[in-house]
Amino acid sequence: MVTIKQVSELAKVSSATVSRVINNADSVKLETRKLVEAAMKELGYRPNSIAQSLASNKTNTVGYVVPQLYGSFGIMMSGSEEVLRRANKHMFIMTGHSNEKDEKSAIEALLMRRCDALILHLESTSDEYLIELAKQKVPFVLVNRVIEAIEDNCISLDNHFGGYLASKALIDKGHRDIAYIAGSLWKSDAIERLQGHKEALAEANIAYDESLIYEGDFQVHSGVEGIETLLNAGKKFSAVACGNDEMASGAIGALRDAGLKVPESVSVVGFDDVEFSNYLTPRLTTIRYPMKEIGQMAARWILNRAYENSSMQLQHVLSPHLIERESVCDAGG
Amino acid sequence: MVTIKQVSELAKVSSATVSRVINNADSVKLETRKLVEAAMKELGYRPNSIAQSLASNKTNTVGYVVPQLYGSFGIMMSGSEEVLRRANKHMFIMTGHSNEKDEKSAIEALLMRRCDALILHLESTSDEYLIELAKQKVPFVLVNRVIEAIEDNCISLDNHFGGYLASKALIDKGHRDIAYIAGSLWKSDAIERLQGHKEALAEANIAYDESLIYEGDFQVHSGVEGIETLLNAGKKFSAVACGNDEMASGAIGALRDAGLKVPESVSVVGFDDVEFSNYLTPRLTTIRYPMKEIGQMAARWILNRAYENSSMQLQHVLSPHLIERESVCDAGG
DNA sequence: AACACACATGTAAACGCTTACAAAACATTC
DNA sequence: GAATGTTTTGTAAGCGTTTACATGTGTGTT
């Protein structure tokens, strides 16, 4: 690999001057600049950014931890990438695999690489660890989770409001017997969404009926099981709200298998608006989880706090909204 | 940030010794090792991998270029991540946005970062550039594309065979009037898939009818348009093979809108087996594109060539296979 | 012609590690 | 107890940049 030294020799200037033209900072006479550029070109010079980082003590890289590389996290990352790219920052992406050990070691690796800042989508790391991280002055934003003590570092979605919106959409169509298939209730988002559902019921003066609630686990099969359980118990309902789109998909299938038409006999709302919800039959009415916007917002936070030292206020809690498609219709068909 | 020097002072040894325990190489007396480890712990020392890379001339990082961060590329990357992680290598992911400028600048950035090797999923970069890259002794694997001159660097899918399999599946069910909705025919994979289709027809002695072919663009809407065009032209067919799942999804919708039942009146096969194909109604019969395996294979190549200097032969062309679900049935219902 | 001042360039120390080589410490053998 | 070998540790020179500071060069003013 060709170094700055070789370029400087060919151009008959000092390496400091070459460095100046690379960073096109300071003043370099146009004439010498041309000379240096010609030399760089001739030698096929590529600045070694490892060395640059060591010397300048910044990597222009933000570390990213996501549970997995596929699925909706990709959307989020591409939101971040879009805004970071404009600022000439890069992302170093690692996966946490939803377990504490991997999440921590991902963060450690990122810190060893001296990332200038971090964007973290964690699932198993403790609040304490993150609070400690904040104490160490590591600039990071925590996505999809809020920890009171470091609230300013958090960007999240208003799950409660989303849950409310979903059920409200059903109620507005005249439904009153509404079943609910929840996600794993040890997860905060599942709880919040369910609470939103309850609020919508309360607001419409519909009595909350515990037996219309089924606790699933966010997977397709639990949507199926939810419907089967409800139906076998002889429950009556004209609509089902689901904790996410996967379960909604399972629910639709199970309803169809039971000879019930969606939405004519039973309306269904999902949550998240994942890619396939638009491909279901009927196309799924759901709550849009603004993954891309969250990714963008996180990147903006980083740009502000870690690179520009501004502390401009950003929106920390994003609002979901309803996407009306075909899986919900008026009560009574 | 605490440095190796501070650790060495606290442990009353030289920095070389600390380095030795970090890399747990060479011989370090157990006693001193304990001493050093205690010091590292006390100071909360994190080796600076930037400095390590500069000194050792390796980054333990493989650069990754994909068109986008979301969609099926995520699956591929996670395949790679899985195998690289076991070897303690990391990935630096960048996006090429399917245009030459971004792809090239991504590669350049990766080289500046002195990645030990690259995995490239490119769409617009010229063969020449890549051949030149190979000449520069940059270890890289090119995914989903084959360039004769650097064949050993390429890992791809047998699209021709996939196209053949898809149409064969239809023919085996007794279909003889088979329409085909192709992807953009300036893309090599679209062409190859179509050729596979033709081969299957030929093998079954079915005359190739140009008017049953529609050229789409791999997007949902072109599946819709394909069906509408064919139907409006008064074409008769009992089955449709599609260049990918998106178009198949569009086709299914259009068929249903035209009052035709899938699969009873018209069978449909897709290609790729993307996530949502399993959620369609009917669940889509399609050709499985082994994205994850390709990612794994690419990572293994890298491990072999760039890190272990072995040159063990790997499978360079992967075979797709048929996933039978519900969108295909016997001709005649 | 002397001076001040801006602008352009060079010198060399740092950044935090690794590693070849040298030195020291210890163990073994005769 | 000297000679030898082995293991452990230290010394110091890199790795390829950036950047504070010093030096040089040119212009305008008096």
Side-chain angles (χ1 to χ4, degrees), chain A residues 23-43:
Chain A
N23 300 291
N24 51 300
D26 292 22
S27 46
V28 179
K29 226 194 330 185
L30 182 64
E31 192 183 339
T32 43
R33 172 187 302 274
K34 297 256 187 206
L35 231 54
V36 171
E37 278 166 351
M40 295 199 304
K41 186 149 195 187
E42 180 173 340
L43 296 174

Side-chain angles (χ1 to χ4, degrees), chain B residues 20-49:
Chain B
R20 290 187 183 102
V21 350
I22 291 169
N23 300 290
N24 52 300
D26 293 24
S27 45
V28 179
K29 225 194 329 186
L30 182 65
E31 191 183 338
T32 42
R33 171 186 301 275
K34 298 254 187 209
L35 230 54
V36 171
E37 278 166 352
M40 297 199 301
K41 185 149 194 185
E42 179 172 343
L43 296 175
Y45 173 66
R46 287 192 190 99
N48 180 332
S49 49

Side-chain angles (χ1 to χ4, degrees), chain A residues 4 19 23 45 55:
Chain A
I4 207 175
S19 172
N23 300 291
Y45 172 67

